[in-house]
Amino acid sequence: MAEQSGLIKGLEGVVAAETALCDLDGANGRLAYRGYDIDELARQASYEEVAHLLWRGELPTRAQLDGFCAELTAARPIPDQLLAAFRLLPKKADPMRALQMATAMLGTFDPDATDNSQEANLRKALRLTSQLATAICAHHRIRLGQEPVPPSKDLGHAADFLFMLTGERPSAVNVRAFDAGLILYAEHELNASTFTTRVITSTLSDMHSAVAGGIGAMKGPLHGGAGEAVMLTLKEIGQVENVDAFVEKALAAKRRLMGFGHRVYRGGDPRQVILRDLAEAACRQSGQGMWYEMAVRLHERVNRAKGLIPNVDFYSAPLFYSIGIPVDLFTPVIVAGRMAGWTAHIIEQHQDNRLIRPRGQYTGPGRRLFVPLDRR
Ligand code: SDX
């Protein structure tokens, strides 16, 4: 029986699992997936190569990648029953709630749903990663009163997402930016949503159940919901000339500044450096440079006033906005990216499982005698 430790709020700094997936050096602001630096992966790899790396341990050869992409493409279609369910939802339904429902429903159709073997989990990771991308886009178009765009057979994962979202073949610049964004969100060690998926998996529950739980955790504004909040902040500020006054007012009101700060990166989030470059290119290319300029000014003012650094959700906001992602789909897009990491952690947990069950420190009243109802 392990020694019981004292209370550590938010499990800050607690090592809760071993993982071969992600090396996150918070002190030095470095991040690597299975030994490959995030900067190289984001700038040179595709999301498909990164998913292969996370699931199978190695970057694919050209032949392996061709076969892997064919499997991902074949797995994209979602059941008509799920489309029908989307049509029954209120038009204003939160896309993250629709995504949670979709995940649970896809589990009812998946032939491997309750099979936690390595082979079945690898099949489900690939299938669900493709299906959820289709589901996000299908729900979005249905809530707009439009017909879903069927997944293509000739586009890569990132390009097909943009195609299913808009119905138009995306530009190469937008595809590259979006692909890099998905890679930067793909995996991040034991963040709240990934830890959630591991806790659910540790009970020997299944991948669909764990992913549905992860979506619930990702939804929160302290986690994946921050990206949407950053874009709403930029829209609230309106123009770069208003940034200084906004920061002054926000700090005076002790307002939580979304997109800033991180539990682990105290010296800077390496992902935001890459996203800043991508956001600048995408904002300028789409004629929306003001969002980028506003973000840079906000970054500088907040950093100077409070020493806070931007996290991954800061520059991804103007990036996603400038390539046409609706603001309330930012978090579902983060889910689409994080699917590779979540499912890789679920596979890892099943490979070496022990039920995750921490303790609570009791602060309630001491032992006392029961008083029957007629005497209370
Ligand atoms: C993600 O864990 C991951 O890896 C997550 C993630 C991933 O890839 O999965 O990186 C993705 O979730 C990024 C974070 C997105 N969330 C936000 O941008 C929301 C705003 N950020 C904060 O809420 C906060 O920085 C957290 C939640 C991200 C981290 O919080 P901590 O580690 O619990 O830090 P804290 O809240 O204890 O803050 C320490 C101090 C506090 O000051 P005091 O009250 O002690 O004087 O710093 C201040 C905080 O008030 N502070 C902020 C702030 N972040 C910290 N003040 C204003 N605005 C902020 N954003």
Side-chain angles (χ1 to χ4, degrees):
M1 176 77 166
E3 194 56 28
Q4 188 170 322
S5 70
L7 172 66
I8 297 172
K9 278 201 96 165
L11 298 183
E12 179 153 9
V14 170
V15 176
E18 288 182 331
T19 177
L21 299 170
C22 172
D23 180 7
L24 199 171
D25 178 353
N28 299 303
R30 292 176 58 80
L31 173 64
Y33 300 164
R34 290 204 192 268
Y36 291 97
D37 191 88
I38 190 63
D39 190 84
E40 290 191 304
L41 290 173
R43 296 185 197 279
Q44 299 181 57
S46 64
Y47 182 73
E48 290 91 331
E49 289 173 270
V50 168
H52 188 284
L53 172 67
L54 290 169
W55 292 335
R56 297 183 177 279
E58 296 297 337
L59 286 169
T61 61
R62 162 57 61 193
Q64 288 168 333
L65 183 59
D66 291 347
F68 188 69
C69 289
E71 284 182 76
L72 282 162
T73 302
R76 287 173 182 162
I78 56 177
D80 290 341
Q81 293 91 329
L82 178 53
L83 295 176
F86 284 151
R87 290 194 172 90
L88 293 173
L89 292 177
K91 286 283 179 274
K92 291 205 174 307
D94 184 326
M96 285 294 279
R97 235 179 271 290
L99 196 53
Q100 218 172 20
M101 175 204 78
T103 304
M105 194 165 179
L106 287 167
T108 65
F109 290 93
D110 195 301
D112 291 320
T114 54
D115 183 344
N116 291 333
S117 68
Q118 176 77 353
E119 303 66 35
N121 275 337
L122 284 167
R123 287 194 297 271
K124 287 188 282 186
L126 185 147
R127 194 153 46 220
L128 199 50
T129 297
S130 281
Q131 288 172 326
L132 289 190
T134 306
I136 292 165
C137 299
H139 170 253
H140 173 62
R141 293 185 65 87
I142 286 171
R143 69 172 178 163
L144 294 181
Q146 298 167 356
E147 277 308 302
V149 174
S152 80
K153 293 188 170 37
D154 63 326
L155 293 174
H157 191 74
D160 191 45
F161 186 101
L162 297 176
F163 172 61
M164 291 189 290
L165 193 67
T166 63
E168 288 151 32
R169 310 282 285 192
S171 69
V173 171
N174 281 1
V175 171
R176 181 76 283 274
F178 189 61
D179 200 17
L182 292 174
I183 290 167
L184 290 161
Y185 273 109
E187 159 57 10
H188 211 239
E189 199 217 61
L190 289 193
N191 58 84
S193 56
T194 299
F195 186 60
T196 301
T197 64
R198 289 194 81 133
V199 170
I200 293 170
T201 302
S202 80
T203 71
L204 296 187
S205 186
D206 58 83
M207 186 173 280
H208 288 80
S209 303
V211 167
I215 293 170
M218 185 62 88
K219 184 171 180 290
L222 292 188
H223 190 13
E228 297 181 17
V230 170
M231 199 62 221
L232 295 177
T233 302
L234 293 177
K235 286 174 162 245
E236 180 190 340
I237 293 169
Q239 56 183 30
V240 65
E241 292 72 24
N242 298 343
V243 168
D244 296 16
F246 168 83
V247 172
E248 214 173 301
K249 210 161 134 237
L251 293 179
K254 291 205 176 310
R255 181 169 160 174
R256 188 174 290 275
L257 295 154
M258 305 312 272
F260 286 93
H262 198 276
R263 174 62 62 81
V264 180
Y265 289 124
R266 294 308 189 194
D269 187 332
R271 298 167 296 177
Q272 64 92 10
V273 177
I274 305 161
L275 284 162
R276 175 171 172 163
D277 292 348
L278 292 168
E280 179 174 20
C283 287
R284 297 214 189 288
Q285 196 245 349
S286 63
Q288 302 179 74
M290 81 282 195
W291 300 119
Y292 173 72
E293 278 135 31
M294 249 192 276
V296 169
R297 183 72 168 253
L298 184 59
H299 170 183
E300 285 163 359
R301 287 295 176 278
V302 169
N303 187 257
R304 189 188 306 165
K306 201 131 161 118
L308 287 168
I309 44 119
N311 55 50
V312 67
D313 296 321
F314 187 73
Y315 287 107
S316 64
L319 167 64
F320 288 158
Y321 192 76
S322 67
I323 61 174
I325 307 285
V327 176
D328 70 352
L329 287 193
F330 285 11
T331 313
V333 161
I334 295 170
V335 169
R338 192 53 54 90
M339 274 303 289
W342 280 348
T343 51
H345 276 273
I346 292 163
I347 290 167
E348 204 174 53
Q349 184 72 31
H350 273 303
Q351 285 170 329
D352 176 16
N353 185 50
R354 178 152 168 69
L355 178 70
I356 296 173
R357 199 280 187 216
R359 294 298 313 277
Q361 188 164 303
Y362 180 67
T363 59
R367 287 286 187 278
R368 47 186 172 163
L369 291 175
F370 180 78
V371 179
L373 183 58
D374 57 6
R375 286 185 13 222
R376 271 181 250 159

